[in-house]
Amino acid sequence: MLQVFAIVLLSRSSKTHEAFFSDATSELTGKLNERYSNLRNYFSLAETNRQLAEENNRLRNLLASNQIAPDSNTIHYTDTTFRDSTGRYRKFTWLPAKVIGNTVTLQTNFLTLERGSNQGVKKGMAVIGPQGIVGVVVETSANISKVMSLLHRNSRVSAMLKKDNNAGSIEWDGSDPSILTLRNVSKSAKVVKGDTVVTSTYSANFPSNLMVGTVASIVEDPSSNFYTLKIKTATNFFSIQYVYLVENVRFAEQVQLENTPQTNQ
């Protein structure tokens, strides 16, 4: 206390000392305010991320790529799905979700999302992150959903080379969480390292042209007519926190028809 009292007396003893201590106090106050502001900003990041996810979701639902034109040959047809002012109907809807569970080190990895059937989540919905695709919903409860990650030995997603639409199947071999495998790409494709891989038009779950990753290496098998490509995944599965659930409103119809046994003709 005596030291503090002495400092106060010294600061008032002359204009020079007063100016010095005033500057020092201002600098200290400024640093404290800066640290407080940084701390406050840190704790507000979660809310900021949530708000950004909501806004991105709103904008994604407005994208023209989520709409397709009606069949002009249809005469009497009532489409119960949402239509815009040009007559196009919505094919995909987007819903933001928070990741509350995630594994990456197993052979069969899953994510857990804080969205469930009460919020409109359904089995088969695609899951997409800020950087690229993530997986597919396999189970739902009232408020929680379980997602089969791309990092799952049973995961299969139709994908293609962006530059020429040569399609294949994206899988994971269970080793490196940052590397996927694209199989059955025709050797007629002019593929090079660094080529972009996106979702194809053949998927019932995913909209087309969503980022999957880039070609990291090319495996050539002389006995096969197809390439096996190693793909550097666009999604960082170690740090993903928010995703989008995407529903193809005609998913059930497409899957049912594709799985219907063909009758003899």
Side-chain angles (χ1 to χ4, degrees), residues 23-81:
D23 291 343
T25 302
S26 297
E27 182 178 356
L28 178 60
T29 303
K31 288 183 177 180
L32 289 174
N33 287 336
E34 181 182 3
R35 291 191 178 185
Y36 172 74
S37 178
N38 290 339
L39 186 63
R40 183 178 58 186
N41 289 338
Y42 173 80
F43 285 108
S44 68
L45 282 177
E47 176 62 17
T48 301
N49 286 337
R50 186 193 65 79
Q51 292 175 357
L52 287 173
E54 293 285 353
E55 177 63 11
N56 285 337
N57 176 66
R58 185 186 70 81
L59 295 174
R60 283 180 181 273
N61 276 301
L62 295 176
L63 289 174
S65 59
N66 293 322
Q67 316 284 337
I68 56 178
D71 186 349
S72 59
N73 294 321
T74 301
I75 300 175
H76 299 292
Y77 177 74
T78 301
D79 190 349
T80 58
T81 58

Short mmCIF file of all heavy atoms in Angstrom, two decimals, residues 23-81:
data_model
loop_
_atom_site.label_atom_id
_atom_site.label_comp_id
_atom_site.label_asym_id
_atom_site.label_seq_id
_atom_site.Cartn_x
_atom_site.Cartn_y
_atom_site.Cartn_z
N ASP A 23 0.28 7.98 -19.57
CA ASP A 23 0.51 7.16 -20.77
C ASP A 23 0.57 5.68 -20.42
O ASP A 23 0.03 4.82 -21.12
CB ASP A 23 1.80 7.59 -21.46
CG ASP A 23 1.69 8.97 -22.10
OD1 ASP A 23 0.53 9.42 -22.27
OD2 ASP A 23 2.73 9.57 -22.40
N ALA A 24 1.27 5.37 -19.31
CA ALA A 24 1.40 3.97 -18.90
C ALA A 24 0.05 3.38 -18.54
O ALA A 24 -0.27 2.23 -18.88
CB ALA A 24 2.36 3.87 -17.71
N THR A 25 -0.77 4.19 -17.84
CA THR A 25 -2.11 3.72 -17.47
C THR A 25 -2.98 3.49 -18.69
O THR A 25 -3.70 2.49 -18.79
CB THR A 25 -2.79 4.73 -16.54
OG1 THR A 25 -1.97 4.93 -15.39
CG2 THR A 25 -4.16 4.24 -16.11
N SER A 26 -2.89 4.40 -19.65
CA SER A 26 -3.68 4.26 -20.88
C SER A 26 -3.28 3.01 -21.66
O SER A 26 -4.12 2.29 -22.19
CB SER A 26 -3.49 5.51 -21.76
OG SER A 26 -3.99 6.65 -21.11
N GLU A 27 -1.96 2.75 -21.71
CA GLU A 27 -1.48 1.58 -22.43
C GLU A 27 -1.96 0.29 -21.76
O GLU A 27 -2.41 -0.65 -22.42
CB GLU A 27 0.05 1.59 -22.48
CG GLU A 27 0.63 0.41 -23.28
CD GLU A 27 2.14 0.48 -23.37
OE1 GLU A 27 2.72 1.47 -22.89
OE2 GLU A 27 2.73 -0.47 -23.91
N LEU A 28 -1.88 0.26 -20.42
CA LEU A 28 -2.33 -0.91 -19.68
C LEU A 28 -3.82 -1.13 -19.86
O LEU A 28 -4.28 -2.26 -20.09
CB LEU A 28 -1.99 -0.74 -18.20
CG LEU A 28 -2.44 -1.89 -17.27
CD1 LEU A 28 -1.79 -3.20 -17.69
CD2 LEU A 28 -2.11 -1.56 -15.81
N THR A 29 -4.59 -0.04 -19.78
CA THR A 29 -6.04 -0.15 -19.96
C THR A 29 -6.38 -0.64 -21.36
O THR A 29 -7.27 -1.47 -21.55
CB THR A 29 -6.71 1.21 -19.72
OG1 THR A 29 -6.38 1.67 -18.41
CG2 THR A 29 -8.22 1.12 -19.87
N GLY A 30 -5.64 -0.14 -22.35
CA GLY A 30 -5.88 -0.56 -23.73
C GLY A 30 -5.63 -2.05 -23.92
O GLY A 30 -6.40 -2.74 -24.58
N LYS A 31 -4.54 -2.55 -23.32
CA LYS A 31 -4.21 -3.97 -23.44
C LYS A 31 -5.26 -4.84 -22.75
O LYS A 31 -5.64 -5.90 -23.25
CB LYS A 31 -2.83 -4.24 -22.87
CG LYS A 31 -1.69 -3.69 -23.74
CD LYS A 31 -0.34 -4.06 -23.16
CE LYS A 31 0.78 -3.56 -24.08
NZ LYS A 31 2.12 -3.91 -23.56
N LEU A 32 -5.72 -4.38 -21.58
CA LEU A 32 -6.75 -5.14 -20.86
C LEU A 32 -8.05 -5.18 -21.66
O LEU A 32 -8.72 -6.22 -21.75
CB LEU A 32 -6.99 -4.51 -19.49
CG LEU A 32 -5.88 -4.71 -18.46
CD1 LEU A 32 -6.19 -3.92 -17.18
CD2 LEU A 32 -5.69 -6.19 -18.13
N ASN A 33 -8.41 -4.04 -22.26
CA ASN A 33 -9.63 -3.99 -23.07
C ASN A 33 -9.52 -4.89 -24.30
O ASN A 33 -10.48 -5.55 -24.71
CB ASN A 33 -9.92 -2.56 -23.51
CG ASN A 33 -10.43 -1.70 -22.38
OD1 ASN A 33 -10.98 -2.21 -21.40
ND2 ASN A 33 -10.26 -0.39 -22.49
N GLU A 34 -8.30 -4.91 -24.89
CA GLU A 34 -8.09 -5.76 -26.07
C GLU A 34 -8.24 -7.23 -25.71
O GLU A 34 -8.87 -8.00 -26.44
CB GLU A 34 -6.71 -5.49 -26.65
CG GLU A 34 -6.41 -6.31 -27.91
CD GLU A 34 -5.01 -6.06 -28.44
OE1 GLU A 34 -4.26 -5.30 -27.80
OE2 GLU A 34 -4.68 -6.62 -29.50
N ARG A 35 -7.65 -7.62 -24.57
CA ARG A 35 -7.74 -9.02 -24.16
C ARG A 35 -9.18 -9.40 -23.82
O ARG A 35 -9.63 -10.50 -24.13
CB ARG A 35 -6.83 -9.27 -22.95
CG ARG A 35 -5.35 -9.20 -23.31
CD ARG A 35 -4.47 -9.70 -22.18
NE ARG A 35 -3.07 -9.68 -22.57
CZ ARG A 35 -2.08 -10.16 -21.81
NH1 ARG A 35 -2.37 -10.71 -20.64
NH2 ARG A 35 -0.84 -10.11 -22.23
N TYR A 36 -9.90 -8.48 -23.19
CA TYR A 36 -11.30 -8.74 -22.87
C TYR A 36 -12.12 -8.90 -24.15
O TYR A 36 -12.97 -9.79 -24.26
CB TYR A 36 -11.87 -7.60 -22.03
CG TYR A 36 -13.36 -7.70 -21.82
CD1 TYR A 36 -13.91 -8.63 -20.95
CD2 TYR A 36 -14.23 -6.86 -22.52
CE1 TYR A 36 -15.28 -8.73 -20.77
CE2 TYR A 36 -15.60 -6.95 -22.36
CZ TYR A 36 -16.12 -7.89 -21.48
OH TYR A 36 -17.47 -7.99 -21.31
N SER A 37 -11.84 -8.04 -25.12
CA SER A 37 -12.56 -8.12 -26.40
C SER A 37 -12.27 -9.43 -27.11
O SER A 37 -13.17 -10.07 -27.65
CB SER A 37 -12.16 -6.94 -27.29
OG SER A 37 -12.81 -7.01 -28.54
N ASN A 38 -10.99 -9.85 -27.10
CA ASN A 38 -10.62 -11.11 -27.74
C ASN A 38 -11.30 -12.29 -27.06
O ASN A 38 -11.76 -13.24 -27.71
CB ASN A 38 -9.11 -11.31 -27.72
CG ASN A 38 -8.39 -10.34 -28.64
OD1 ASN A 38 -8.98 -9.81 -29.57
ND2 ASN A 38 -7.11 -10.11 -28.37
N LEU A 39 -11.36 -12.24 -25.72
CA LEU A 39 -12.00 -13.31 -24.96
C LEU A 39 -13.49 -13.37 -25.26
O LEU A 39 -14.06 -14.44 -25.45
CB LEU A 39 -11.77 -13.09 -23.46
CG LEU A 39 -12.26 -14.21 -22.52
CD1 LEU A 39 -11.50 -15.50 -22.80
CD2 LEU A 39 -12.07 -13.80 -21.07
N ARG A 40 -14.12 -12.21 -25.33
CA ARG A 40 -15.55 -12.15 -25.63
C ARG A 40 -15.82 -12.67 -27.04
O ARG A 40 -16.79 -13.41 -27.27
CB ARG A 40 -16.04 -10.71 -25.50
CG ARG A 40 -17.55 -10.55 -25.71
CD ARG A 40 -17.95 -9.11 -25.51
NE ARG A 40 -17.22 -8.24 -26.43
CZ ARG A 40 -17.30 -6.91 -26.40
NH1 ARG A 40 -18.05 -6.31 -25.49
NH2 ARG A 40 -16.62 -6.18 -27.26
N ASN A 41 -14.97 -12.30 -27.99
CA ASN A 41 -15.13 -12.77 -29.37
C ASN A 41 -14.98 -14.28 -29.46
O ASN A 41 -15.67 -14.95 -30.23
CB ASN A 41 -14.12 -12.09 -30.29
CG ASN A 41 -14.43 -10.63 -30.50
OD1 ASN A 41 -15.56 -10.20 -30.32
ND2 ASN A 41 -13.42 -9.86 -30.88
N TYR A 42 -14.04 -14.83 -28.65
CA TYR A 42 -13.82 -16.28 -28.68
C TYR A 42 -15.08 -17.03 -28.26
O TYR A 42 -15.49 -18.00 -28.90
CB TYR A 42 -12.66 -16.64 -27.75
CG TYR A 42 -12.46 -18.13 -27.57
CD1 TYR A 42 -11.80 -18.88 -28.54
CD2 TYR A 42 -12.95 -18.78 -26.44
CE1 TYR A 42 -11.62 -20.24 -28.39
CE2 TYR A 42 -12.78 -20.15 -26.28
CZ TYR A 42 -12.11 -20.87 -27.26
OH TYR A 42 -11.95 -22.22 -27.10
N PHE A 43 -15.71 -16.56 -27.18
CA PHE A 43 -16.89 -17.26 -26.67
C PHE A 43 -18.12 -17.01 -27.54
O PHE A 43 -19.12 -17.72 -27.40
CB PHE A 43 -17.17 -16.84 -25.23
CG PHE A 43 -16.23 -17.46 -24.23
CD1 PHE A 43 -15.26 -16.70 -23.60
CD2 PHE A 43 -16.29 -18.82 -23.95
CE1 PHE A 43 -14.38 -17.28 -22.70
CE2 PHE A 43 -15.42 -19.41 -23.05
CZ PHE A 43 -14.45 -18.64 -22.42
N SER A 44 -18.06 -16.03 -28.42
CA SER A 44 -19.20 -15.78 -29.31
C SER A 44 -19.06 -16.50 -30.65
O SER A 44 -19.95 -16.44 -31.48
CB SER A 44 -19.35 -14.27 -29.56
OG SER A 44 -18.27 -13.78 -30.33
N LEU A 45 -17.93 -17.21 -30.85
CA LEU A 45 -17.71 -17.89 -32.13
C LEU A 45 -18.77 -18.95 -32.40
O LEU A 45 -19.21 -19.13 -33.54
CB LEU A 45 -16.32 -18.53 -32.15
CG LEU A 45 -15.14 -17.59 -32.41
CD1 LEU A 45 -13.83 -18.35 -32.34
CD2 LEU A 45 -15.28 -16.92 -33.78
N ALA A 46 -19.17 -19.69 -31.38
CA ALA A 46 -20.15 -20.75 -31.57
C ALA A 46 -21.46 -20.18 -32.09
O ALA A 46 -22.06 -20.72 -33.03
CB ALA A 46 -20.38 -21.50 -30.26
N GLU A 47 -21.90 -19.08 -31.50
CA GLU A 47 -23.14 -18.45 -31.96
C GLU A 47 -22.98 -17.88 -33.36
O GLU A 47 -23.89 -17.98 -34.20
CB GLU A 47 -23.55 -17.34 -30.98
CG GLU A 47 -24.78 -16.54 -31.39
CD GLU A 47 -26.04 -17.39 -31.50
OE1 GLU A 47 -26.05 -18.51 -30.94
OE2 GLU A 47 -27.00 -16.94 -32.14
N THR A 48 -21.81 -17.30 -33.63
CA THR A 48 -21.55 -16.77 -34.97
C THR A 48 -21.59 -17.88 -36.01
O THR A 48 -22.19 -17.73 -37.09
CB THR A 48 -20.18 -16.08 -35.01
OG1 THR A 48 -20.17 -15.01 -34.06
CG2 THR A 48 -19.89 -15.51 -36.40
N ASN A 49 -20.97 -19.02 -35.70
CA ASN A 49 -20.98 -20.16 -36.62
C ASN A 49 -22.40 -20.65 -36.86
O ASN A 49 -22.76 -21.02 -37.98
CB ASN A 49 -20.12 -21.29 -36.07
CG ASN A 49 -18.64 -21.01 -36.19
OD1 ASN A 49 -18.23 -20.21 -37.03
ND2 ASN A 49 -17.83 -21.65 -35.36
N ARG A 50 -23.20 -20.68 -35.81
CA ARG A 50 -24.59 -21.13 -35.95
C ARG A 50 -25.37 -20.20 -36.87
O ARG A 50 -26.11 -20.64 -37.76
CB ARG A 50 -25.27 -21.20 -34.58
CG ARG A 50 -26.68 -21.79 -34.63
CD ARG A 50 -27.43 -21.54 -33.33
NE ARG A 50 -27.67 -20.12 -33.13
CZ ARG A 50 -28.64 -19.45 -33.76
NH1 ARG A 50 -29.44 -20.06 -34.61
NH2 ARG A 50 -28.81 -18.16 -33.54
N GLN A 51 -25.17 -18.90 -36.68
CA GLN A 51 -25.88 -17.93 -37.51
C GLN A 51 -25.44 -18.02 -38.97
O GLN A 51 -26.26 -17.91 -39.89
CB GLN A 51 -25.64 -16.52 -36.97
CG GLN A 51 -26.28 -16.27 -35.62
CD GLN A 51 -25.93 -14.90 -35.05
OE1 GLN A 51 -25.16 -14.15 -35.64
NE2 GLN A 51 -26.50 -14.57 -33.90
N LEU A 52 -24.13 -18.23 -39.19
CA LEU A 52 -23.63 -18.38 -40.55
C LEU A 52 -24.20 -19.62 -41.22
O LEU A 52 -24.54 -19.61 -42.41
CB LEU A 52 -22.10 -18.44 -40.55
CG LEU A 52 -21.37 -17.12 -40.27
CD1 LEU A 52 -19.88 -17.36 -40.13
CD2 LEU A 52 -21.64 -16.10 -41.37
N ALA A 53 -24.31 -20.70 -40.46
CA ALA A 53 -24.87 -21.94 -41.00
C ALA A 53 -26.32 -21.73 -41.40
O ALA A 53 -26.77 -22.21 -42.46
CB ALA A 53 -24.76 -23.07 -39.97
N GLU A 54 -27.08 -21.01 -40.58
CA GLU A 54 -28.48 -20.74 -40.90
C GLU A 54 -28.60 -19.89 -42.16
O GLU A 54 -29.45 -20.14 -43.02
CB GLU A 54 -29.15 -20.02 -39.72
CG GLU A 54 -29.30 -20.86 -38.46
CD GLU A 54 -30.41 -21.89 -38.58
OE1 GLU A 54 -31.14 -21.84 -39.57
OE2 GLU A 54 -30.53 -22.73 -37.67
N GLU A 55 -27.74 -18.88 -42.28
CA GLU A 55 -27.79 -18.01 -43.45
C GLU A 55 -27.37 -18.76 -44.71
O GLU A 55 -28.00 -18.63 -45.77
CB GLU A 55 -26.88 -16.80 -43.23
CG GLU A 55 -26.78 -15.84 -44.43
CD GLU A 55 -28.10 -15.19 -44.80
OE1 GLU A 55 -29.07 -15.31 -44.01
OE2 GLU A 55 -28.18 -14.57 -45.87
N ASN A 56 -26.32 -19.57 -44.60
CA ASN A 56 -25.89 -20.38 -45.75
C ASN A 56 -26.99 -21.34 -46.17
O ASN A 56 -27.20 -21.58 -47.36
CB ASN A 56 -24.62 -21.16 -45.41
CG ASN A 56 -23.39 -20.28 -45.39
OD1 ASN A 56 -23.37 -19.22 -46.01
ND2 ASN A 56 -22.37 -20.70 -44.67
N ASN A 57 -27.69 -21.89 -45.19
CA ASN A 57 -28.79 -22.80 -45.50
C ASN A 57 -29.88 -22.08 -46.29
O ASN A 57 -30.41 -22.61 -47.28
CB ASN A 57 -29.36 -23.37 -44.21
CG ASN A 57 -30.56 -24.25 -44.44
OD1 ASN A 57 -30.45 -25.31 -45.05
ND2 ASN A 57 -31.72 -23.82 -43.99
N ARG A 58 -30.22 -20.87 -45.86
CA ARG A 58 -31.24 -20.10 -46.57
C ARG A 58 -30.82 -19.83 -48.01
O ARG A 58 -31.62 -19.98 -48.95
CB ARG A 58 -31.49 -18.77 -45.84
CG ARG A 58 -32.64 -17.95 -46.43
CD ARG A 58 -32.73 -16.59 -45.74
NE ARG A 58 -31.61 -15.74 -46.10
CZ ARG A 58 -31.55 -15.03 -47.24
NH1 ARG A 58 -32.53 -15.09 -48.12
NH2 ARG A 58 -30.51 -14.26 -47.50
N LEU A 59 -29.56 -19.46 -48.20
CA LEU A 59 -29.07 -19.15 -49.54
C LEU A 59 -28.98 -20.40 -50.42
O LEU A 59 -29.29 -20.36 -51.61
CB LEU A 59 -27.69 -18.48 -49.45
CG LEU A 59 -27.68 -17.11 -48.78
CD1 LEU A 59 -26.25 -16.61 -48.61
CD2 LEU A 59 -28.49 -16.10 -49.58
N ARG A 60 -28.56 -21.52 -49.82
CA ARG A 60 -28.47 -22.76 -50.59
C ARG A 60 -29.84 -23.20 -51.11
O ARG A 60 -29.97 -23.71 -52.21
CB ARG A 60 -27.86 -23.88 -49.74
CG ARG A 60 -26.35 -23.77 -49.57
CD ARG A 60 -25.82 -24.91 -48.72
NE ARG A 60 -24.38 -24.83 -48.52
CZ ARG A 60 -23.48 -25.34 -49.34
NH1 ARG A 60 -23.87 -25.96 -50.44
NH2 ARG A 60 -22.19 -25.24 -49.08
N ASN A 61 -30.87 -23.00 -50.31
CA ASN A 61 -32.20 -23.39 -50.73
C ASN A 61 -32.74 -22.52 -51.86
O ASN A 61 -33.73 -22.86 -52.49
CB ASN A 61 -33.16 -23.36 -49.54
CG ASN A 61 -33.11 -24.63 -48.72
OD1 ASN A 61 -33.36 -25.72 -49.23
ND2 ASN A 61 -32.76 -24.51 -47.45
N LEU A 62 -32.08 -21.38 -52.09
CA LEU A 62 -32.50 -20.50 -53.18
C LEU A 62 -31.74 -20.77 -54.47
O LEU A 62 -32.07 -20.20 -55.51
CB LEU A 62 -32.29 -19.03 -52.77
CG LEU A 62 -33.15 -18.52 -51.60
CD1 LEU A 62 -32.75 -17.08 -51.27
CD2 LEU A 62 -34.63 -18.59 -51.95
N LEU A 63 -30.72 -21.63 -54.42
CA LEU A 63 -29.91 -21.89 -55.61
C LEU A 63 -30.74 -22.50 -56.73
O LEU A 63 -31.59 -23.36 -56.51
CB LEU A 63 -28.76 -22.85 -55.26
CG LEU A 63 -27.63 -22.29 -54.40
CD1 LEU A 63 -26.66 -23.40 -54.04
CD2 LEU A 63 -26.90 -21.17 -55.13
N ALA A 64 -30.45 -22.06 -57.93
CA ALA A 64 -31.17 -22.59 -59.10
C ALA A 64 -30.89 -24.08 -59.30
O ALA A 64 -31.71 -24.80 -59.85
CB ALA A 64 -30.77 -21.82 -60.35
N SER A 65 -29.73 -24.55 -58.83
CA SER A 65 -29.37 -25.96 -59.01
C SER A 65 -30.27 -26.89 -58.21
O SER A 65 -30.29 -28.10 -58.44
CB SER A 65 -27.91 -26.19 -58.61
OG SER A 65 -27.69 -25.82 -57.27
N ASN A 66 -31.03 -26.34 -57.26
CA ASN A 66 -31.96 -27.16 -56.50
C ASN A 66 -33.31 -27.30 -57.19
O ASN A 66 -34.19 -27.98 -56.69
CB ASN A 66 -32.19 -26.54 -55.11
CG ASN A 66 -30.95 -26.59 -54.26
OD1 ASN A 66 -30.21 -27.56 -54.30
ND2 ASN A 66 -30.71 -25.54 -53.49
N GLN A 67 -33.46 -26.62 -58.32
CA GLN A 67 -34.73 -26.63 -59.04
C GLN A 67 -34.55 -27.31 -60.39
O GLN A 67 -33.49 -27.23 -61.00
CB GLN A 67 -35.22 -25.19 -59.29
CG GLN A 67 -35.09 -24.26 -58.11
CD GLN A 67 -36.15 -24.50 -57.06
OE1 GLN A 67 -37.19 -25.04 -57.38
NE2 GLN A 67 -35.89 -24.10 -55.83
N ILE A 68 -35.57 -27.99 -60.86
CA ILE A 68 -35.56 -28.53 -62.22
C ILE A 68 -36.87 -28.19 -62.90
O ILE A 68 -37.92 -28.07 -62.25
CB ILE A 68 -35.32 -30.05 -62.25
CG1 ILE A 68 -36.35 -30.79 -61.40
CG2 ILE A 68 -33.93 -30.40 -61.80
CD1 ILE A 68 -36.18 -32.29 -61.44
N ALA A 69 -36.81 -28.04 -64.21
CA ALA A 69 -37.99 -27.64 -64.97
C ALA A 69 -38.97 -28.80 -65.08
O ALA A 69 -38.57 -29.97 -65.13
CB ALA A 69 -37.58 -27.18 -66.36
N PRO A 70 -40.26 -28.51 -65.11
CA PRO A 70 -41.25 -29.58 -65.28
C PRO A 70 -41.19 -30.15 -66.68
O PRO A 70 -40.72 -29.51 -67.61
CB PRO A 70 -42.58 -28.86 -65.02
CG PRO A 70 -42.31 -27.43 -65.38
CD PRO A 70 -40.87 -27.18 -64.99
N ASP A 71 -41.66 -31.38 -66.82
CA ASP A 71 -41.70 -32.04 -68.12
C ASP A 71 -42.78 -31.38 -68.97
O ASP A 71 -43.96 -31.40 -68.64
CB ASP A 71 -42.02 -33.53 -67.91
CG ASP A 71 -41.92 -34.32 -69.21
OD1 ASP A 71 -41.83 -33.69 -70.29
OD2 ASP A 71 -41.96 -35.55 -69.13
N SER A 72 -42.37 -30.80 -70.10
CA SER A 72 -43.32 -30.09 -70.95
C SER A 72 -44.30 -31.02 -71.64
O SER A 72 -45.32 -30.59 -72.17
CB SER A 72 -42.56 -29.26 -72.00
OG SER A 72 -41.76 -30.12 -72.80
N ASN A 73 -44.00 -32.34 -71.64
CA ASN A 73 -44.89 -33.30 -72.27
C ASN A 73 -46.02 -33.74 -71.35
O ASN A 73 -46.95 -34.42 -71.78
CB ASN A 73 -44.10 -34.55 -72.70
CG ASN A 73 -43.11 -34.23 -73.80
OD1 ASN A 73 -43.42 -33.45 -74.69
ND2 ASN A 73 -41.93 -34.80 -73.72
N THR A 74 -45.92 -33.37 -70.08
CA THR A 74 -46.96 -33.75 -69.13
C THR A 74 -48.16 -32.83 -69.29
O THR A 74 -48.03 -31.61 -69.24
CB THR A 74 -46.43 -33.67 -67.69
OG1 THR A 74 -45.32 -34.55 -67.58
CG2 THR A 74 -47.50 -34.08 -66.69
N ILE A 75 -49.32 -33.41 -69.45
CA ILE A 75 -50.52 -32.60 -69.66
C ILE A 75 -51.28 -32.40 -68.36
O ILE A 75 -51.50 -31.28 -67.92
CB ILE A 75 -51.43 -33.27 -70.72
CG1 ILE A 75 -50.68 -33.39 -72.05
CG2 ILE A 75 -52.72 -32.47 -70.90
CD1 ILE A 75 -51.44 -34.16 -73.11
N HIS A 76 -51.66 -33.49 -67.71
CA HIS A 76 -52.40 -33.39 -66.46
C HIS A 76 -51.52 -33.91 -65.33
O HIS A 76 -51.34 -35.11 -65.17
CB HIS A 76 -53.70 -34.21 -66.53
CG HIS A 76 -54.62 -33.75 -67.61
ND1 HIS A 76 -55.26 -32.53 -67.57
CD2 HIS A 76 -55.00 -34.34 -68.77
CE1 HIS A 76 -56.00 -32.38 -68.65
NE2 HIS A 76 -55.85 -33.46 -69.40
N TYR A 77 -50.97 -32.99 -64.58
CA TYR A 77 -50.04 -33.39 -63.53
C TYR A 77 -50.05 -32.35 -62.42
O TYR A 77 -49.96 -31.16 -62.68
CB TYR A 77 -48.62 -33.51 -64.10
CG TYR A 77 -47.57 -33.85 -63.07
CD1 TYR A 77 -47.49 -35.13 -62.56
CD2 TYR A 77 -46.69 -32.89 -62.60
CE1 TYR A 77 -46.54 -35.45 -61.60
CE2 TYR A 77 -45.74 -33.20 -61.65
CZ TYR A 77 -45.67 -34.48 -61.16
OH TYR A 77 -44.73 -34.79 -60.22
N THR A 78 -50.20 -32.81 -61.19
CA THR A 78 -50.18 -31.91 -60.05
C THR A 78 -48.96 -32.23 -59.20
O THR A 78 -48.86 -33.32 -58.64
CB THR A 78 -51.45 -32.07 -59.19
OG1 THR A 78 -52.59 -31.79 -60.01
CG2 THR A 78 -51.42 -31.11 -58.01
N ASP A 79 -48.05 -31.29 -59.12
CA ASP A 79 -46.82 -31.47 -58.34
C ASP A 79 -47.02 -30.82 -56.98
O ASP A 79 -47.23 -29.62 -56.88
CB ASP A 79 -45.65 -30.81 -59.08
CG ASP A 79 -44.31 -31.16 -58.45
OD1 ASP A 79 -44.32 -31.72 -57.35
OD2 ASP A 79 -43.29 -30.87 -59.08
N THR A 80 -46.95 -31.63 -55.93
CA THR A 80 -47.21 -31.10 -54.59
C THR A 80 -45.98 -30.48 -53.96
O THR A 80 -46.06 -29.90 -52.89
CB THR A 80 -47.71 -32.22 -53.67
OG1 THR A 80 -46.73 -33.27 -53.64
CG2 THR A 80 -49.02 -32.80 -54.17
N THR A 81 -44.82 -30.60 -54.61
CA THR A 81 -43.61 -29.99 -54.07
C THR A 81 -43.57 -28.51 -54.43
O THR A 81 -44.28 -28.04 -55.30
CB THR A 81 -42.35 -30.69 -54.61
OG1 THR A 81 -42.35 -30.62 -56.03
CG2 THR A 81 -42.31 -32.14 -54.16
#
